[in-house]
Amino acid sequence: MKLNVIKQRGLWWTLSAVLVLAGIAAMVVSFSQYSAPLRPGLDFIGGTRLLLERDCGEADCATPIELARVREIIAEQGIESSNVQLVSSATQNLDNIDQPKTGLAIRTQSLGADERTALQSALSDEFGPFDPEAIQIDTVAPVLGQQLLTQGLEALLVAFAGITVYLSLRFQLDYAVLALVALMHDVLITLGVFAALGLTLGYEVDSLFLVSLLTIVGFSVNDTVVIYDRIRESLKLSPDRPINEVVEIAVNQTLTRSVNTTLTTVLPLVAIVIFGGATLKFFALALIVGFLAGAYSSIFIASTLLAWWRGRNPQPLPQIEAPSE
């Protein structure tokens, strides 16, 4: 299979622009609702999260839990700004249509031990006892949440800076800048997908999401380096060859390697999404989205941008010394 990446670069750029703009739109909507581009989880904003599952041996699990009544009970406890979800179990954050909804996920302000006990007692009186072994309680202080967010963003910026310096030294500055554009493309697409998931499915990003972004950046730049390295070597061997032709050949020569690397990485992640726990599912899903976006940007964005830039700003050919007589 041979790709005409240069001839159809308008198509690749348009597709990327549509995806990025759709993601930015999702982040804008998310910001209007949650004051953040993505729906922040407990790791970042602080508070208490309770995961409760009814004990069907003693409670009547056939009777559904009414979310309106749950919110009334929470309000009676003097707890404000709480988010309540009906879930299949205490270990599953997403609704599953194949299982009865026997669990509650409650995210609220930071609660003390007495406040948590009072809330659980009130809910038990209304809906029956909850399984004590399935109860999960997570508490994060707001200050710690802000520190996690700040440190995660700093790590991402340091990664971008380090990659820029490395590519500038190994190749040239324009290679580094264009590779950085491709990396931003991958990050924005991943952010957009998870902003949409937050709006539609109530997904909340946590510290693992920042880890996934760092992993995506490293994986994506690796693919780009392979293609850029082949372009550089081809230019050394044939400095007078048109840059469009050089890029076309380099992309097709590395295409099989890029596709195989991405597929062999994504397949285990798909297995984690299908069979893994709730936390690992979204971590793996973020990696899948980012890795696919990274492979796409390396092949269709970073390479075509380099060809376009070098076509507009041709580099001087190396001077060949005349043989001495």
Side-chain angles (χ1 to χ4, degrees):
M1 180 178 66
K2 183 177 180 180
L3 292 176
N4 296 317
V5 291
I6 301 301
K7 185 177 181 180
Q8 298 177 322
R9 64 187 177 191
L11 173 63
W12 317 131
W13 293 357
T14 300
L15 179 59
S16 291
V18 169
L19 293 174
V20 170
L21 290 176
I24 292 174
M27 286 187 278
V28 170
V29 175
S30 178
F31 194 90
S32 66
Q33 294 191 18
Y34 310 117
S35 299
L38 283 78
R39 184 172 182 172
L42 194 68
D43 289 356
F44 299 129
I45 61 176
T48 298
R49 179 173 56 195
L50 296 175
L51 295 176
L52 308 172
E53 185 173 355
R54 298 169 84 180
D55 186 349
C56 293
E58 299 184 22
D60 181 13
C61 291
T63 303
I65 298 175
E66 297 181 6
L67 288 181
R69 180 55 184 153
V70 174
R71 294 189 178 96
E72 289 177 4
I73 294 174
I74 292 175
E76 292 170 359
Q77 299 294 316
I79 302 172
E80 300 177 353
S81 302
S82 297
N83 180 273
V84 183
Q85 284 182 292
L86 192 62
V87 295
S88 298
S89 70
T91 59
Q92 191 171 353
N93 287 335
L94 287 180
D95 290 348
N96 187 331
I97 60 175
D98 297 327
Q99 297 181 12
K101 307 302 186 292
T102 60
L104 279 173
I106 303 172
R107 183 172 62 86
T108 183
Q109 64 195 47
S110 296
L111 302 177
D114 293 339
E115 293 173 309
R116 291 198 303 267
T117 301
L119 177 59
Q120 291 177 42
S121 298
L123 292 172
S124 297
D125 293 340
E126 181 70 22
F127 302 109
F130 294 96
D131 185 357
E133 296 184 358
I135 294 176
Q136 297 182 23
I137 302 173
D138 298 315
T139 301
V140 176
V143 174
L144 179 59
Q146 291 297 323
Q147 289 177 348
L148 285 173
L149 178 60
T150 301
Q151 291 172 356
L153 293 177
E154 288 176 350
L156 196 59
L157 291 175
V158 169
F160 276 120
I163 288 171
T164 303
V165 171
Y166 168 74
L167 292 179
S168 298
L169 294 175
R170 179 167 179 177
F171 300 101
Q172 293 180 13
L173 181 60
D174 55 351
Y175 282 78
V177 172
L178 297 176
L180 196 61
V181 171
L183 289 180
M184 291 299 299
H185 164 277
D186 306 336
V187 171
L188 286 173
I189 287 180
T190 306
L191 291 174
V193 169
F194 278 82
L197 288 177
L199 293 170
T200 57
L201 299 180
Y203 172 72
E204 299 174 348
V205 297
D206 54 17
S207 55
L208 272 180
F209 183 74
L210 289 176
V211 175
S212 69
L213 290 182
L214 290 168
T215 308
I216 289 166
V217 167
F219 182 89
S220 178
V221 77
N222 179 64
D223 258 356
T224 304
V225 165
V226 171
I227 296 175
Y228 277 1
D229 192 59
R230 185 60 58 91
I231 293 173
R232 181 183 61 176
E233 293 302 317
S234 297
L235 287 173
K236 286 182 179 179
L237 295 174
S238 305
D240 56 342
R241 176 176 288 179
I243 184 64
N244 286 352
E245 184 180 342
V246 171
V247 171
E248 195 87 47
I249 294 173
V251 168
N252 282 281
Q253 286 178 342
T254 57
L255 180 61
T256 301
R257 181 261 179 207
S258 298
V259 171
N260 288 342
T261 301
T262 303
L263 285 180
T264 53
T265 307
V266 165
L267 287 176
L269 295 173
V270 172
I272 294 175
V273 170
I274 297 173
F275 302 107
T279 302
L280 288 180
K281 280 184 179 181
F282 285 102
F283 176 69
L285 181 60
L287 293 180
I288 290 172
V289 173
F291 288 176
L292 293 178
Y296 175 86
S297 68
S298 297
I299 297 171
F300 299 106
I301 304 301
S303 61
T304 55
L305 283 175
L306 181 64
W308 170 79
W309 175 256
R310 285 295 178 95
R312 294 173 61 91
N313 301 274
Q315 302 294 306
L317 295 177
Q319 298 295 325
I320 301 177
E321 297 182 1
S324 57
E325 297 182 357

